[in-house]
């Protein structure tokens, strides 16, 4: 008779053995990797075919579909990998396990023009012959480029603002008494394509207006901070309300989501692309280009104005989950356009997973400290012939193993999320 304790010990031993195997596979195995379809418990049963595929990288697309004849097909960058199994149940849900090096994915919707373009580029890259490795001269000594410091707020801030939490949090301590003088800047200039994002921690039910975000060419070390950043008349671009201002003058009206309607827990971000365009983000959703010809080496700006009383710099994988009464993390309810027909991730997910972008994007929190417990499942069952496809948006050069994808007949509401989806011993098919 197998007791609960011995079973848990065996499962722990199996996970350790699997980790050792992945390290060996990574260091000693075929550098092109092996595609396996695993059915049931922890890789205990392999379903052919096993084919040679390149290891996943950022920008790759992984898809799957259940055909009307019960056959399951996987797709790598649009290329059909053949029949994985002919025994798929009638009702299955798409599954993604953000395991190991895989940190962030987004569901691809082919009716979206940008999604179609990224998918086409991924397919073309996969079909292109690999470039021969370039010979680089041997160098000695320390690395030429020092590591980039973590994003923080500069200690020089507005008269009514304070910077705490090792430079990661800014606040107006007396937000019910004063509505402005809450400007804070990043301690260093942003790199090209680097997202600067803050979470609104605290709001006050007073004043008009709210948080404003943008960039400036002025160094915080030498800037005499104004009462509000939109008063600055040079080198500054700010999103305020649902408009964009450049040097105190409105240049875009009716732009994006209205920042004055945000609540505590919402996020806003800004990024300067390497082509000089400026983009803003609200709760992970891109609002579109807001400015062009923005010079490099700009500093991020947050104006804790009006109702916005406190904000913290956040990065992918830093937001704390909300726990449901059953102990499973529960993301906020996701709106379902078109009567719930559009595929998104279900609000129930693994302990280290987080949903953004209206449920289309999933990421693993604390990705350099945690390597598993980040399973996400589609919000509804897949239709016959429907493609469930994700694009890998972020990976980390840490851990062994990477993304796993597949289907399960277990309803998300009834699934007890394991550490990894390949621990499930029934009604589940996973590609790894």
């Amino acid at each position: 008779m197998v007791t609960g304790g011995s079973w848990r010990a065996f499962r722990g031993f199996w996970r350790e053995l699997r980790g050792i195997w992945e390290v060996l596979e990574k260091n000693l195995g075929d550098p092109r990797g092996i595609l396996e379809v695993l059915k049931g418990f922890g890789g205990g049963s392999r379903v052919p075919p096993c084919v040679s595929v390149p290891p996943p990288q950022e920008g790759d697309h992984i898809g799957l579909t259940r055909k009307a004849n019960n056959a399951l097909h996987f797709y790598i960058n649009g290329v059909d990998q053949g029949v994985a199994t002919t025994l798929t149940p009638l009702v299955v849900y798409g599954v993604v396990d953000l395991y190991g090096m895989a940190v962030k994915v987004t569901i691809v919707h082919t009716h979206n023009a940008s999604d179609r373009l990224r998918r086409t580029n991924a397919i073309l890259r996969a079909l292109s012959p690999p470039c021969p490795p370039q010979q680089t001269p041997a160098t000695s000594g320390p690395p030429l480029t020092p590591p980039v410091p973590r994003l923080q707020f500069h200690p020089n801030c507005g008269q009514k603002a304070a910077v705490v939490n090792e430079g990661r949090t800014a606040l107006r301590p007396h937000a019910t008494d004063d509505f402005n003088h809450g400007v804070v800047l990043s301690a260093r200039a942003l790199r090209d394509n680097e997202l600067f994002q803050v979470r609104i921690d605290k709001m006050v039910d007073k004043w008009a207006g709210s948080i404003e975000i943008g960039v400036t060419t002025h160094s915080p070390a030498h800037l005499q901070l104004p009462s509000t950043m939109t008063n600055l008349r040079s080198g500054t671009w700010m999103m305020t309300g649902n408009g964009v201002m450049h040097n105190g003058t409105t240049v875009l009206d009716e732009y994006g989501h209205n920042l004055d309607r945000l609540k505590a827990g919402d996020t806003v971000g800004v990024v300067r692309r390497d082509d000089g365009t400026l983009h803003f983000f609200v709760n992970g959703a891109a609002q579109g280009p807001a400015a062009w010809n923005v010079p490099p080496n700009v500093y991020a700006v947050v104006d804790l104005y009006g109702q916005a009383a406190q904000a913290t710099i956040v990065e992918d994988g830093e937001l704390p989950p909300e726990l449901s009464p059953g102990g499973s993390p529960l993301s906020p309810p996701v709106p379902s356009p078109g009567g719930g027909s559009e595929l998104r991730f279900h609000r129930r997910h693994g302990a280290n997973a987080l949903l953004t972008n209206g449920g289309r994007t999933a990421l693993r929190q604390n990705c350099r400290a945690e390597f598993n417990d980040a399973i996400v499942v589609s919000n509804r069952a897949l239709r016959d012939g429907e493609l469930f496809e994700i694009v890998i948006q972020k990976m980390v050069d840490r851990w062994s193993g990477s993304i796993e994808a597949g289907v399960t007949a277990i309803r998300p509401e009834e699934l007890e999320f394991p550490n990894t989806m390949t621990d499930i011993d029934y009604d589940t098919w996973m590609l790894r």
Side-chain angles (χ1 to χ4, degrees):
M1 178 179 177
V2 180
T3 65
S6 60
W7 173 250
R8 285 191 296 271
F10 175 71
R11 291 285 287 272
F13 167 75
W14 178 263
R15 283 194 291 270
E16 280 191 30
L17 186 61
R18 181 183 176 198
I20 294 171
W21 173 261
E22 287 176 343
V23 171
L24 292 174
E25 184 180 53
K26 181 178 180 181
N27 292 283
L28 301 177
D30 180 355
R32 289 183 60 80
I34 296 295
L35 181 155
E36 295 177 326
V37 180
L38 305 181
K39 177 183 183 296
F41 170 66
S45 175
R46 285 178 172 78
V47 180
C50 290
V51 297
S52 179
V53 296
Q57 57 182 316
E58 291 180 1
D60 280 348
H61 287 233
I62 300 175
L64 57 91
T65 185
R66 178 200 175 277
K67 304 285 188 178
N69 62 357
N70 300 331
L72 179 65
H73 290 247
F74 288 96
Y75 298 83
I76 306 295
N77 289 321
V79 179
D80 191 346
Q81 305 299 309
V83 178
T85 179
T86 59
L87 304 175
T88 318
L90 290 176
V91 178
V92 291
Y93 297 80
V95 182
V96 177
D97 193 342
L98 292 170
Y99 181 82
M101 293 184 286
V103 172
K104 182 179 181 183
V105 298
T106 290
I107 296 175
V108 176
H109 291 155
T110 54
H111 61 261
N112 181 288
S114 60
D115 282 357
R116 287 199 305 270
L117 178 60
R118 282 193 294 267
R119 186 174 191 269
T120 301
N121 290 337
I123 294 172
L124 291 175
R125 184 179 68 245
L127 296 177
S128 300
C131 298
Q134 297 182 351
Q135 299 294 326
T136 55
T139 58
S140 60
L144 297 178
T145 304
V148 179
R150 194 182 190 198
L151 281 169
Q152 297 176 318
F153 289 118
H154 195 278
N156 180 30
C157 55
Q159 296 176 13
K160 306 296 184 179
V163 175
V164 297
N165 186 26
E166 298 181 344
R168 301 284 288 181
T169 299
L171 69 151
R172 289 189 357 255
H174 306 289
T176 56
D177 298 330
D178 303 288
F179 64 88
N180 57 6
H181 287 288
V183 175
V184 286
L185 277 69
S186 61
R188 63 165 173 83
L190 301 181
R191 296 170 290 168
D192 287 347
N193 305 312
E194 181 180 23
L195 175 65
F196 176 87
Q197 184 173 242
V198 299
R199 178 187 66 238
I200 302 174
D201 298 325
K202 184 179 178 181
M203 307 275 290
V204 293
D205 189 17
K206 191 175 182 180
W207 317 117
S210 187
I211 194 168
E212 300 173 351
I213 188 170
V215 296
T216 183
T217 58
H218 299 282
S219 167
H222 310 292
L223 179 63
Q224 185 174 351
L225 295 169
S227 59
T228 67
M229 202 63 185
T230 51
N231 287 345
L232 208 58
R233 302 303 182 197
S234 64
T236 303
W237 294 259
M238 297 293 296
M239 181 178 178
T240 170
N242 62 342
V244 178
M245 300 184 73
H246 176 42
N247 299 335
T249 301
T250 299
V251 293
L252 280 181
D253 280 320
E254 303 301 323
Y255 170 85
H257 188 95
N258 194 332
L259 300 187
D260 293 344
R261 297 177 181 173
L262 297 183
K263 300 178 181 179
D266 288 334
T267 62
V268 291
V270 62
V271 62
R272 179 201 176 271
R273 303 288 190 193
D274 51 12
D275 62 0
T277 58
L278 190 70
H279 297 251
F280 292 98
F281 294 78
V282 177
N283 289 324
Q287 306 299 295
W292 293 259
N293 301 316
V294 177
N297 300 317
V298 290
Y299 295 82
V301 182
V302 173
D303 195 340
L304 293 173
Y305 182 82
Q307 296 178 349
Q310 180 176 312
T312 295
I313 299 173
V314 292
E315 297 167 345
D316 287 348
E318 286 197 354
L319 300 182
E322 295 180 357
L323 293 181
S324 70
S328 297
L330 203 61
S331 287
V334 174
S336 299
S341 62
E342 197 169 59
L343 277 171
R344 297 173 185 268
F345 291 118
H346 196 278
R347 62 193 299 247
R348 291 194 73 241
H349 46 67
N352 290 327
L354 178 76
L355 302 186
T356 63
N357 190 20
R360 281 188 61 196
T361 299
L363 57 94
R364 190 175 79 242
Q365 304 180 95
N366 304 321
C367 57
R368 295 194 174 274
E370 304 288 347
F371 65 89
N372 59 5
D373 281 317
I375 297 166
V376 286
V377 185
S378 63
N379 63 334
R380 61 166 173 80
L382 304 182
R383 304 186 180 106
D384 286 348
E386 180 179 27
L387 178 66
F388 175 74
E389 186 175 44
I390 53 96
V391 57
I392 303 174
Q393 293 182 301
K394 183 177 179 181
M395 299 186 72
V396 291
D397 188 17
R398 187 178 173 89
W399 316 113
S400 62
S402 188
I403 192 165
E404 300 174 353
V407 295
T408 183
I410 310 170
R411 298 177 69 247
E413 296 85 355
E414 299 171 355
L415 178 61
E416 295 183 9
F417 286 85
N419 299 123
T420 66
M421 200 63 187
T422 48
D423 285 348
I424 297 290
D425 58 1
Y426 66 101
D427 290 343
T428 302
W429 292 258
M430 297 297 293
L431 172 74
R432 63 178 288 259

